[in-house]
Amino acid sequence: MRDIYRCEVTAYTLDYSRAWALALDHVITPTLVIRWLCAQAAHLADLMDPHPITEWCPAEALRPVSPNVPDARSILRRWCVDPDEHEAAIGLLSDGRIYTLGCHDDTARYALSAVSLAVLRSSRRHHMTRAGRAARTP
């Protein structure tokens, strides 16, 4: 039986007080997780830093960013072409662990993550069992 991985992209306020789900999918292999995360990372980077002749974004809407601002778009683009990081992610996912790529700029924090649904189910069962025991303890 193949495992299924939940992949998601989430944006948060800088203080984590609000969150927005930007993308969600389920894929069947760690290699497909990497493909999905790469496509999402590239898309998010392009939204943050569109080419000046992009049709959906008028050139007058673009402005230079201060060099003091964290460069989330470059982190995302570098991750897309980093085979060592991809192998590390595949290893974590294959071992039943969660993988998260996080970055931020001066407006928001971003997390691209993946986890096995079997791990999520097991974790939920474990927490529910522990909560049930705690509730019965005098």
Side-chain angles (χ1 to χ4, degrees), residues 5-10 23-27 29-45 75-81 85-90 92-93 97-102 110-115:
Y5 297 87
R6 176 187 171 98
C7 305
E8 58 187 65
V9 180
T10 308
L24 172 67
D25 203 355
H26 293 89
V27 299
T29 68
T31 301
L32 291 176
V33 167
I34 299 305
R35 282 190 200 163
W36 189 87
L37 290 175
C38 281
Q40 295 303 316
H43 180 66
L44 186 56
I75 291 168
L76 293 168
R77 287 182 175 137
R78 268 195 312 271
W79 185 86
C80 288
V81 295
E85 188 62 25
H86 298 171
E87 285 301 316
I90 288 170
L92 287 171
L93 293 167
R97 298 177 62 195
I98 190 169
Y99 178 79
T100 301
L101 168 65
Y110 307 95
L112 291 80
S113 62
V115 65

Side-chain angles (χ1 to χ4, degrees), residues 45-79:
D46 289 344
L47 290 173
M48 290 177 191
D49 183 29
H51 191 279
I53 61 170
T54 301
E55 290 181 16
W56 62 265
C57 184
E60 56 273 6
L62 301 177
R63 62 176 173 79
V65 176
S66 165
N68 299 332
V69 172
D71 192 2
R73 67 192 189 283
S74 290
I75 291 168
L76 293 168
R77 287 182 175 137
R78 268 195 312 271
W79 185 86

